[in-house]
Structures are given as C-alpha cells and as structure tokens.
Amino acid sequence: MAKKFAELKARMTPESLADAEQILQQHLKEMPLHELRKAQHLSQASLAKALNINQAAVSKMERRTDMYISTLRDYIRAMGGELEIIATFPDGQVKIDNFAC
C-alpha cells in the first residue's frame, strides 16, 4: 500500500532530512532551463508571451546547448530572475559584469 510522503518524512532522522535538503539544493543549482521554468510554475506558452515569441521558439531555446548571453538573460528575466555570470577559479570566484544591461 502506498504511504504518504509526510509520513515517510516524519520517520526520517535529522541527518537524513539534512542530506535530502542538501541534495535538493544541489539539484536546484544545476537545473536545466526547462526544469527551471517548470519550477517557476510557468508554461512554455506563458513564457513565450512574456518574450514576445511563439511557444515553438521557447521549446527550441530550452533544447539548445549554445545561445547568446542576451537571449539567456531575456529568458531568465521573463521568469522574474536576473542572470549573473560568475567565473570560478581554484582561488575564488569573480562576477563578470561585461554583459550586464
């Protein structure tokens, strides 16, 4: 018989809950565009409307492996976010501001 998630969660140890939260946060940090859109509760059609393009163009954009930074920035802004580009080196991180508008 199926069990409710809340019941299973209630039986988890604090360590297991912490591990699950860490995994969740890592997945959120590494989300592909289509999953990010879904996590924001947006459809391709609603995002297309915000970008003044058609739904097929949003679908194509989400499948691309390479795109202009301005295109990605517009996509993120249409979801209510801001794009930041950060270069990561062994001794630290640097925010790249050349592409800010």
Side-chain angles (χ1 to χ4, degrees):
M1 184 167 172
K3 296 188 186 235
K4 293 183 178 179
F5 180 73
E7 293 173 12
L8 295 173
K9 186 176 175 184
R11 292 192 290 169
M12 292 175 71
T13 66
E15 295 82 16
S16 294
L17 287 170
D19 288 346
E21 180 63 25
Q22 183 179 10
I23 291 168
L24 170 65
Q25 293 305 317
Q26 188 63 33
H27 283 295
L28 290 174
K29 290 179 182 177
E30 299 174 356
M31 205 175 277
L33 287 179
H34 73 282
E35 289 181 14
L36 179 59
R37 175 185 46 76
K38 289 177 183 178
Q40 296 295 319
H41 307 289
L42 295 169
S43 66
Q44 286 182 341
S46 63
L47 194 57
K49 185 175 181 179
L51 290 167
N52 294 317
I53 59 176
N54 62 38
Q55 178 272 325
V58 172
S59 177
K60 185 176 178 180
M61 189 183 306
E62 290 178 346
R63 288 182 276 123
R64 293 191 66 165
T65 58
D66 191 17
M67 71 175 68
Y68 287 114
I69 292 170
S70 59
T71 302
L72 180 58
R73 181 183 59 233
D74 291 345
Y75 182 96
I76 298 298
R77 283 185 178 164
M79 290 191 291
E82 285 297 324
L83 179 66
E84 292 184 358
I85 299 176
I86 298 175
T88 303
F89 299 96
D91 58 344
Q93 295 182 330
V94 177
K95 182 178 174 184
I96 308 297
D97 289 328
N98 296 42
F99 307 109
C101 284

